[in-house]
Amino acid sequence: VQPPEKPLESEEWNRLRESFRLPEIFEEVMLNSMIRCNSPIDVAKSLLTHMAQRNGDVAYSVLVKYLTLCVQQGQISEIRDVYDIMKVRFKILEIGAYNLFIKGLSNSDQWRMGLTLLEEAKKIMIPSRTSYESCIKAASCHQDMKLAFELYHEMLAKDVVPTLDVLKSFFDFSRGMKGAELQKELFGILLYLRDNQIYPHKTFMQSIKLWFESIPGRNWRGHLTNIKDSGQCPVCNHQLEDSNLTEEEYNNLSERIIRDVIHGTDTFRKTSPQEFEAFQTFVENRLPFDIVIDGLNVSHIKPKKMHCENLLDAINCLVKDNVRLLVLGRKHMLINSSNWKREIMKEMKTKADFFFAENISEDDTFLLYATLRSGKHCKFVTRDFLRDHKACLSDSLTRHLFRKWQRGHQIVLKAMFFSVFSQQPAFQYDCVVQTTGDTWHIPYKDVFEEKYSYQVPRKWLCIQQK
């Protein structure tokens, strides 16, 4: 439906409605089209007037669509009017309407009303990330950094995860500003990145660099670099933190994972206790392994290739220097099929130990158990991020150790060409944001990734105080 270019009278809207194939949804379709075409507000208003005359009122969903158009165009007085109408007519507004009101008002000189609406929304729900971030950006934009940080901490306390975009905005708006408290807050964001293994993208990293260099009287200088394999920074010669856990840390982590994750609530959801006991016996009789492979996960690396060939390529890539491999497979791999050829399976079994679980088993649990029982040296191969298991660990210190252990032990296989794999080895140094007080080292990625990633970046920002 093409919206008209100018407001129409009621009978003109009626004629259009009657010529439409499904007249009962005409208004909704027309408003969607107006949003898409960014139609003039008075055209949409004339449609609402026509509906009010015909039906005696305007439905909630229609008002929300009209509100979307008003927010899109920054029509502040209209946004206020719609709010007044909706508050009188509807006892409770849902999250979508609150998001729109807060977003629309936050971008205006009436941004404080957005804060009032955020407080109103809190009485009936946990406000969305969008609502919080609209208010944070409005407060930052008006130099009220104290308020912006209060909202940020409130978000975190309610487990509302901030976007990288809003974290970046804190550094952008704070550029050149003085104050020990502000500096402490921004350092806190960097430590939040560290604790959650979040890698800023290039433009976010540049905002961090510019903020450091703009702090009055502090003389910070940032340089982009690649860390040596030894873990030494070529710019400041500082040695980055070791990725290895101490003996005590490793034993604690191993104990906690086996207790909370493996024997915890979610273990036998997809596997039977008998099968897991059989697996434990199998592992204990063959310990230690050097690398444990999630066979099913690796077999899908190259979609156009036979699954068994993918797995064989991966094994050939890893089976160097007499390492002992354990491959976690599924029973269906033993049935000769187009993806699992018996002769290729036979060849693989000469190079690695195999354990075949039932087809519905939860193999992350098996992977963690075999790797941890093999000792500190043992690495593992999967393209999964193991997020669920981190969530089962109840305290933040153990979660931090789990992530650190994962960063130092997860091998990432990348498909190259034909049958060649390249492996991104586990690093000797820890790939997270780190500081000594007068230096900061921040790993970053070239491109924006909203999702957490198991692939650690190779590029670093080194910031030192001269």
Side-chain angles (χ1 to χ4, degrees), residues 250 282-292 322-326 353 369-379:
Y250 180 79
F282 173 91
V283 168
E284 298 301 326
N285 290 338
R286 290 168 177 77
L287 285 174
F289 296 102
D290 299 304
I291 300 173
V292 181
N322 297 323
V323 295
R324 293 199 58 224
L325 303 181
L326 169 61
D353 279 297
Y369 182 83
T371 309
L372 287 162
R373 286 293 295 127
S374 292
K376 267 175 78 171
H377 74 289
C378 185
K379 307 276 194 280

Side-chain angles (χ1 to χ4, degrees), residues 145 149 174 176-188 211 215-216 218 220:
M145 297 312 291
F149 277 109
S174 303
M177 289 169 82
K178 271 186 173 166
E181 196 49 46
L182 177 70
Q183 201 167 303
K184 191 175 150 204
E185 288 282 18
L186 288 155
F187 286 167
W211 171 72
I215 302 172
R218 282 284 181 264
W220 289 97

Side-chain angles (χ1 to χ4, degrees), residues 244-255:
N244 286 322
L245 304 185
T246 65
E247 207 65 48
E248 189 185 353
E249 285 175 332
Y250 180 79
N251 291 337
N252 284 345
L253 178 69
S254 182
E255 238 169 71

